[in-house]
Amino acid sequence: MAIRNFWSMAAAAVGFRLVLVLFGGDLHLASRPEVSTPLTSIRRLAEGYWLKQASMSPYSGSMYHGSPLLLLVLGPLTNKRSVGHHDHIYCSLIFVAVDFIAAMLIRATGRRLQIARNRNLKSLELTEAVSNSVNVSAGDIASLIYLWNPWAIVTCVGSCTSPIENLMVVIMIYGACSRLAPLAAFGYVMATHLSLYPAILIVPIILLLGYGPDAPPTKVFRIKSSSASKTDVSDNDKSSSSRDVQQFLWKPVFHFILWMLFWTFYVLLLSSIVLNKVGGLQEMFEKTYGFILTVKDLSPNIGVLWYFFAEVFDFFRSFFLIVFNMNIVFMVLPLAIRLKHRPCFLAFIYTAIVAILKSYPSVGDSALYLGLLGLFANELAEMQFTFFLFFGYIGVSLLSPVMHNLWIWRGTGNANFYFATGLAYTCLQTVLVVESVSSMIKHDRKLRLLVTA
Amino acid sequence: YHANRFLMGSGNERGSIALSFRSTNLHKQLFGSSNDCSIKAVVFQVVPWYVKVYYHSLQIFIDGNSKAISEVVEKIHVTPSEDKHLPGTLEMLLRLPCSMESATLSLDFDKGFLHIDEYPPDANQGFDIPSALVTFPEFNSSRSYPEGDTLFVSPLLQTFKEDGVVKSYTEVLLVPLTTPDFSMPYNVITFTCTVLALYFGSLLNALRRRIGEEERELKKAAAKRGLIPLLIAKLRGKKVDPPPQGSSPTSLLSTKLLLKVVFVAVVAVSLHYLSNS
């Protein structure tokens, strides 16, 4: 059942953003450490653009560490200043549109997942059993969660480039769910180009293109077909039930790889054109990916790595850098083995893990995976600790600016106050990820029990 | 002109560097009432790397009115700072109208966050920014000293007697930076590693959970009859016989326990004899 007031609520969310963009200049969100990181700050992008206009490399000065393509697109807008408005109003208007497009794509992805879910339940003859419990329109819920998430609103109004990265990830997931290899490859290449971490999403993307959208485990289908063959010996039922078990399609994966190579070459070509005479590709990689992997900037943010590397002894810095960077990659294979039948959920889990463990996290990353979480409202309906998680997120949202104010502006606190908030935030996200995985496994277990009964 | 430089803004996160000129009203004597004259000024400023200057935020006000950069700045040369390697330098050639009373330049900056090893012993005092140098290339100055004893000739004083451009040095700035807690390295390492271990262990445990264990848990839950009524209704269709399955595990457990006790006793006795010999 679709949400009746979806469009009015979506329009209200966009209107709310526009009001904040036009009249919220006094909030100074562009320099909040929760919103703006060295990678996503619009002020650093403006500085990089100014350096490029002055015929210097935009990466000189340890200021700009983003994509040269963003300089091309957003740089001229940072130059214009309207009288009576804050500096980056045109960028904020673009980010409002970007957020809206991302929400629409999340909704379309939810629709496709819903269609696949209904088809799978029908083939397992469980439609009546499961529809007695919750069966809501997950796409609409996810879209509204993304649009009305205060963190997404803050990121959008604060002129942070996270909405563009989020849009690229959503384009990738939607393209893979729809088996549109060029679109999925474009989103994948752009997301990886902008912030490197979406590179690990190639695993769920290939699983989505090969197996299709999320489905119960193949074991459940085999049990169903075997029980059907017991009750009815006719060959027609056996052949039709065996067709339900999906085979891996290599053709879309091959198309995706070709298009990925094409887009990669194209993006690198554009980057080299932009950086002609003022640096080059090698400096771009060193200042963007190298900056991400080596955690050079120790400005505070909402994660925990900034304080860790401000305090750790130099002798052990290399060791911990390797450990923390590998931590993201460690869980890719175990998760893929266990959840390969649910690639869209796998993409959500990877996105959440990246938001927890990346070098310079911000609330924009959390806005993305919380929006994707809404896509699985039906499967995760029995998730535990939801009350604790919800109010934990609210608590961290309120405490983080307070602790930062006490430390930086009033001087009555110190860095440990802000670090404690980052620790609590990381623990909350860990609980959310673990409980999501557990609930999905329990859901599949429940489907299997219903089939055997 | 008098050249001053000061910090604007509060808190330990960001601020502005302002450079102001105030007229000494000598221009009327030098230039009369001409309207087309202008005075050149060269500003040279070095800023250490931990003060991150946003050069695009340069603003110029003359007599309180904001001016476009291209009107006032003839040439500008910037060397941005590199973290831990290179301070930032700024050289500007300004053309200021003679009739102005005051002019102000401002640059925004963010304060850096350093590693604990990079702080000086008295970290709370703040960090120095060298003074800026303002020169007026169209004006010369020299010093004259009374002709005294001809036997005493100082090369330095001789140099001061020569003509040179007018130079004006501004104040040295003191920028307080925020400090981390210097007593926290081990605490931060242990807290962060504990959080990461919690994430890794919990997630791996959730993935590793065995089907058989969950089966038994569900049966216990079904026995309590409080959870998942639909599953309970389905499970009641099939009856499970617990008594015959229960006896053999208990006997196996008792046998294993007996074997363990015997093994430990044998090891203890053998160790005792070995230690004695």
Side-chain angles (χ1 to χ4, degrees), chain A residues 124 217-229 241 245 451:
Chain A
L124 292 174
T218 52
K219 191 183 298 181
V220 176
F221 288 102
R222 249 183 266 122
I223 291 172
K224 182 64 182 179
S225 62
S226 66
S227 67
S229 67
S241 60
V245 179
V451 165

Side-chain angles (χ1 to χ4, degrees), chain B residues 37-56:
Chain B
C37 72
S38 61
I39 296 173
K40 291 186 177 179
V42 176
V43 177
F44 178 75
Q45 179 176 262
V46 176
V47 179
W49 65 269
Y50 38 80
V51 175
K52 297 174 182 293
V53 178
Y54 289 97
Y55 293 103
H56 76 276

Side-chain angles (χ1 to χ4, degrees), chain A residues 31 43 47 61-62 287 298 307 309-312 324 331 338 357 404 407-409 416 423 426 430 445, chain B residues 10-14 54-56 80-83 110 113 115-116 178 181 184 195-196 199 207 211 215:
Chain A
S31 52
R43 298 172 73 208
E47 182 74 6
S62 301
K287 293 290 184 174
L298 303 176
Y307 204 45
F309 286 106
E311 296 274 359
V312 79
F324 287 152
M331 293 307 297
R338 188 63 196 261
L357 297 178
H404 188 260
W407 170 33
I408 294 289
W409 299 99
N416 302 332
L423 274 180
T426 307
T430 299
R445 178 73 193 169
Chain B
S10 64
N12 278 328
E13 187 179 54
R14 59 179 179 269
Y54 289 97
Y55 293 103
H56 76 276
S81 64
E82 296 284 342
D83 281 357
D110 281 348
F113 293 85
H115 193 267
I116 54 173
T178 184
D181 194 330
M184 284 282 287
V195 168
L196 294 179
Y199 144 77
L207 293 175
I211 299 173
E215 184 88 23

Side-chain angles (χ1 to χ4, degrees), chain A residues 118-418:
Chain A
N118 291 337
R119 185 177 64 237
N120 290 319
L121 291 182
K122 176 180 268 186
S123 66
L124 292 174
E125 297 175 9
L126 295 177
T127 307
E128 197 169 298
V130 175
S131 65
N132 289 337
S133 62
V134 291
N135 190 16
V136 295
S137 177
D140 293 347
I141 286 183
S143 186
L144 289 177
I145 285 176
Y146 186 77
L147 278 176
W148 278 104
N149 190 341
W151 284 348
I153 295 174
V154 158
T155 304
C156 178
V157 174
S159 295
C160 174
T161 61
S162 285
I164 295 181
E165 299 173 14
N166 294 351
L167 174 66
M168 293 307 163
V169 173
V170 172
I171 283 177
M172 179 204 320
I173 295 175
Y174 171 74
C177 273
S178 311
R179 281 205 159 113
L180 301 172
L183 193 63
F186 171 74
Y188 177 75
V189 167
M190 286 303 297
T192 304
H193 174 65
L194 291 174
S195 68
L196 177 67
Y197 290 106
I200 65 173
L201 289 174
I202 193 169
V203 174
I205 293 307
I206 286 180
L207 291 173
L208 267 168
L209 292 168
Y211 285 124
D214 290 16
T218 52
K219 191 183 298 181
V220 176
F221 288 102
R222 249 183 266 122
I223 291 172
K224 182 64 182 179
S225 62
S226 66
S227 67
S229 67
K230 283 180 183 177
T231 56
D232 194 339
V233 193
S234 67
D235 293 338
N236 291 329
D237 289 340
K238 182 177 287 186
S239 61
S240 66
S241 60
S242 67
R243 234 183 287 142
D244 287 330
V245 179
Q246 299 180 0
Q247 303 297 324
F248 193 87
L249 301 179
W250 285 101
K251 188 175 179 182
V253 175
F254 186 66
H255 284 173
F256 171 79
I257 291 173
L258 286 185
W259 275 103
M260 185 180 68
L261 294 178
F262 167 75
W263 285 119
T264 302
F265 177 76
Y266 188 65
V267 164
L268 291 181
L269 182 67
L270 284 185
S271 301
S272 67
I273 288 173
V274 172
L275 295 173
N276 194 17
K277 301 175 188 174
V278 291
L281 285 183
Q282 182 178 349
E283 190 189 12
M284 181 192 84
F285 285 128
E286 185 179 306
K287 293 290 184 174
T288 55
Y289 295 161
F291 181 78
I292 291 173
L293 295 174
T294 55
V295 197
K296 287 180 178 173
D297 197 303
L298 303 176
S299 304
N301 52 58
I302 203 167
V304 292
L305 294 193
W306 63 277
Y307 204 45
F308 188 93
F309 286 106
E311 296 274 359
V312 79
F313 303 124
D314 276 340
F315 183 77
F316 296 103
R317 186 181 166 88
S318 300
F319 167 72
F320 281 115
L321 277 176
I322 293 170
V323 168
F324 287 152
N325 284 320
M326 292 304 294
N327 245 332
I328 296 181
V329 190
F330 276 157
M331 293 307 297
V332 167
L333 198 59
L335 281 162
I337 290 172
R338 188 63 196 261
L339 294 169
K340 62 181 182 296
H341 54 282
R342 293 194 176 271
C344 211
F345 182 73
L346 197 60
F348 153 72
I349 291 294
Y350 284 177
T351 307
I353 287 172
V354 160
I356 299 170
L357 297 178
K358 66 188 299 188
S359 306
Y360 309 100
S362 72
V363 293
D365 307 309
S366 303
L368 173 61
Y369 75 75
L370 288 177
L372 294 178
L373 175 66
L375 293 176
F376 311 100
N378 294 311
E379 287 86 358
L380 302 178
E382 299 176 1
M383 193 165 120
Q384 304 178 34
F385 300 126
T386 50
F387 183 87
F388 165 76
L389 285 168
F390 181 71
F391 284 98
Y393 272 92
I394 291 181
V396 166
S397 304
L398 299 179
L399 273 182
S400 188
V402 169
M403 295 304 161
H404 188 260
N405 186 271
L406 288 181
W407 170 33
I408 294 289
W409 299 99
R410 297 179 184 277
T412 56
N414 61 13
N416 302 332
F417 287 45
Y418 196 65

Side-chain angles (χ1 to χ4, degrees), chain B residues 25 47 56 59 73 88 92 117 124 126 130 143 152 157 193 197 200 233 248 250 272-273:
Chain B
N25 291 320
V47 179
H56 76 276
Q59 294 183 47
V73 178
M92 287 190 293
D117 294 341
N124 292 289
R143 294 191 178 188
F152 180 78
L157 294 185
C193 293
F200 195 80
S248 55
T250 53
H272 177 70
Y273 278 110

